[in-house]
Amino acid sequence: MARSVKFSHLESELQRLSYPVSREEATEKLDDVTVLFAEGEENLGKLVSQTEQAEYESVEDIDAEINNVLPREAVGEPYQSEGEG
């Protein structure tokens, strides 16, 4: 059954996995999860498949890797940093 999770609650979804977990297994297990951003959404399995690590030892490991492949819409206004204004 497909499910959705807000980006701010992503960690709780990642805690459902048993660690260590391979990228392939995580991709498969998270393929039915849609991550909702302030602007748009993305399939969590697809995001995991785009990461570089072959295996994750913890929730923190996979979360950090996912943050490296997030679409631009997930992180706010394009080309803006938090300090600008």
Side-chain angles (χ1 to χ4, degrees):
M1 176 163 57
R3 49 193 195 273
S4 299
V5 63
K6 290 183 179 181
F7 179 65
S8 60
H9 297 116
L10 181 62
E11 190 171 304
S12 64
E13 195 63 40
L14 297 175
Q15 290 174 347
R16 294 177 180 230
L17 299 173
S18 296
Y19 295 89
V21 64
S22 69
R23 179 178 57 229
E24 292 78 21
E25 183 179 353
T27 296
E28 182 180 310
K29 290 189 180 229
L30 298 171
D31 193 46
D32 66 338
V33 179
T34 300
V35 181
L36 306 173
F37 304 112
E39 297 285 330
E41 59 187 44
E42 187 69 53
N43 177 275
L44 184 53
K46 178 182 173 189
L47 288 172
V48 172
S49 74
Q50 296 171 354
T51 63
E52 293 185 15
Q53 271 187 243
E55 185 172 270
Y56 310 102
E57 297 295 323
S58 66
V59 170
E60 292 78 17
D61 284 349
I62 194 170
D63 187 49
E65 286 292 307
I66 290 170
N67 279 299
N68 288 332
V69 297
L70 288 175
R72 186 180 316 167
E73 301 84 41
V75 292
E77 291 294 320
Y79 310 111
Q80 299 291 317
S81 74
E82 291 294 321
E84 293 181 16

